[in-house]
């Protein structure tokens, strides 16, 4: 019998943003964000908190899942940059990693 890896997937849509340093700098200045304010907000209730949270993860050179209280917040932020909308999330990235290990995966 062959080995199989099976995982359940949730529905997730990612915005794969092409970061623009000038846009980030303009937002930091417009929101008056100070270095000591850069931290993780949970949940994220506005665009300023989203930006602070993203800057915190950039500073830590890591990632995570961020929970915004409204998709309007993330869409408004994403629209400031070039981006692609993709199927994503932890489960999809795990499926891609599993395929690199030689196992097939199906995303439904």
């Amino acid at each position: 019998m062959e080995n199989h890896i099976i995982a359940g997937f949730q529905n997730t849509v990612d915005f794969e943003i092409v970061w623009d340093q000038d846009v980030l700098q303009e937002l930091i200045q417009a929101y008056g964000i100070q270095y000591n304010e850069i931290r993780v907000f949970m949940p994220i209730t506005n665009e300023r908190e989203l930006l602070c949270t993203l800057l915190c993860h950039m500073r830590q050179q890591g990632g995570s899942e961020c929970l915004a209280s409204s998709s309007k917040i993330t869409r408004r932020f994403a629209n400031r940059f070039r981006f692609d909308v993709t199927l994503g999330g932890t489960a999809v990235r795990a499926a891609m990693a599993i395929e690199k290990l030689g196992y097939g995966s199906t995303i439904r």
Side-chain angles (χ1 to χ4, degrees):
M1 185 162 121
E2 293 182 43
N3 292 327
H4 296 280
I5 298 174
I6 300 172
F9 300 112
Q10 297 177 346
N11 295 332
T12 304
V13 174
D14 281 352
F15 291 82
E16 293 186 5
I17 293 173
V18 178
W19 296 109
D20 182 323
Q21 184 175 347
D22 293 333
V23 173
L24 284 172
Q25 188 63 43
E26 288 171 15
L27 286 169
I28 291 166
Q29 289 175 343
Y31 284 123
I33 295 172
Q34 301 297 311
Y35 187 81
N36 63 346
E37 296 177 286
I38 297 173
R39 64 180 177 86
V40 174
F41 286 83
M42 291 297 277
I44 296 165
T45 61
N46 58 52
E47 190 177 35
R48 187 180 195 280
E49 292 175 354
L50 175 61
L51 180 57
C52 286
T53 299
L54 292 171
L55 291 170
C56 182
H57 292 299
M58 288 177 182
R59 181 176 64 199
Q60 295 171 347
Q61 297 182 354
S64 78
E65 295 187 28
C66 301
L67 177 61
S69 61
S70 168
S71 62
K72 291 178 184 178
I73 298 166
T74 53
R75 288 173 194 250
R76 178 179 173 181
F77 183 80
N79 281 325
R80 298 177 182 278
F81 301 88
R82 287 188 309 116
F83 66 91
D84 290 323
V85 176
T86 63
L87 183 60
T90 303
V92 173
R93 286 187 286 281
M96 292 187 297
I98 288 168
E99 284 188 342
K100 287 181 181 179
L101 296 173
Y103 295 95
S105 65
T106 303
I107 300 171
R108 297 179 196 194

